[in-house]
Amino acid sequence: MIQNLRMEVKKLLKDKKVDIVLGWEKGSLPLSSTPLFIHEEEDVDRLIFDETCRNNLTTYLTKDKRKLGKTYDKIGIIVKGCDARSIVLYSIEQQIKKENVVIIGVPCNGVLEKKKILRKTENKEILESKIDGKNVHLKGRDFDMIIPLNEVLCDSCLTCRYPDAPVHDIFIGKPRKEVDIKDEYKNVIDFEKKSSEERWEYIKEEYSKCLRCYACRNVCPACYCNECFVDQNDPQWIGKTPEVTDTIIFHLIRNLHVAGRCVDCGACVSACPVDLDLRIMNKKVEKEVKERFDYTAGLDINEKPAMASYCENEKQDFIMG
Amino acid sequence: MIGIEPERVQFSWISAGEGERFANIIEKITNEVKKIGPATRLVKGAKQ
């Protein structure tokens, strides 16, 4: 597959269909990858795609555009299912012109969650690693481990319905097709059943860990505002302390800002340095949007955003008599 | 979802002409909130 991918990218560059291709190359540490910006054909051989390709590169099309150094007319980008859905979002929200981007889809088997791996190795340094279809082989100074892949994949990947790019120009490899997942909202449903006290206790405990580093916002493909509400001083929308009420408000507002837009790529969860359970609220909002508006973000490039369209028969059960 | 008491957050739709309905609903909500007492959750510096 990787050979076909490299060939295709070479062809695109040769035919001048794109000026640059965004992909991944091997990182300097085991089990890591780093973004690769391909301008020349000879760089193509460094391109990889496997379970370490965590980063959602689509942010280079919007907020991280200036990191590319100059503006490109035509950008090729290699995408997993969730990345492609972010591009759909950008197109719907008129952040990019679809015709300027060549979407190269690859079949994704899920990506590794570094934090889960470190928990397994008890934070010991990994010196060598190998991934074969089902297991991850790890070697360190005084340990040797084989971990089943599904124990160290991102939570989002474990309940991912759309591993292939739903919208693409080119697809390399065999699509996995839509996966039938039944319990993607299990955590949310279990949480909803708890009493108001129990829920408050959990939320308070979790969010009191937050350092307000904004890593979740910075990696989020849906958070591309030029000026974020948390950075504004005039007016100052929210308190800036790491006190738990302020952090809860920050996360709640962010949840609502990405309502109907979050593609559950899991970038925020992976980026969080204190391992906050950010996903439960994201999933809750996703579930609400799905139930109320029958909308899933990033699948149809011609659809209107859920929060910018109105339909007469929408549920209004939150309004009391 | 985050554990704010459900009585505290209520939505309603009242026309400007429905004065009596407005009064009734406000009274109902006030009573319900009085029953659960002052807020401690999501209040800065509150004992939790």
Side-chain angles (χ1 to χ4, degrees), chain A residues 191-192 196-197 199-200 203-204 241 243 245-246 248-249 252 280-281 284 318-321, chain B residues 1-6 10-13 21 25 28-29 40-46 48:
Chain A
F191 191 67
E192 282 170 335
S196 161
E197 281 78 29
R199 274 178 280 150
W200 171 249
I203 292 282
K204 202 179 69 188
T241 70
E243 218 243 339
T245 51
D246 282 340
I248 291 178
I249 295 288
L252 287 184
I280 189 144
M281 291 305 286
K284 164 73 180 168
F318 62 96
I319 298 178
M320 63 180 217
Chain B
M1 180 70 180
I2 67 155
I4 298 295
E5 301 90 333
Q10 306 197 21
F11 292 86
S12 192
W13 186 263
R21 190 168 130 80
I25 284 186
K28 183 170 158 266
I29 295 177
T40 54
R41 300 172 193 173
L42 262 193
V43 176
K44 252 191 207 179
Q48 283 159 358

Side-chain angles (χ1 to χ4, degrees), chain B:
Chain B
M1 180 70 180
I2 67 155
I4 298 295
E5 301 90 333
E7 296 89 337
R8 259 186 233 291
V9 189
Q10 306 197 21
F11 292 86
S12 192
W13 186 263
I14 308 165
S15 156
E18 297 175 308
E20 200 186 329
R21 190 168 130 80
F22 181 73
N24 289 341
I25 284 186
I26 292 295
E27 196 166 332
K28 183 170 158 266
I29 295 177
T30 319
N31 287 337
E32 277 178 25
V33 176
K34 266 186 190 153
K35 227 181 271 168
I36 54 172
T40 54
R41 300 172 193 173
L42 262 193
V43 176
K44 252 191 207 179
K47 253 192 214 156
Q48 283 159 358

Side-chain angles (χ1 to χ4, degrees), chain A residues 87-101:
Chain A
I87 298 183
V88 171
L89 180 84
Y90 293 155
S91 175
I92 290 174
E93 296 176 355
Q94 297 174 17
Q95 295 301 311
I96 56 160
K97 286 205 178 83
K98 172 67 190 61
E99 57 269 25
N100 293 352
V101 181

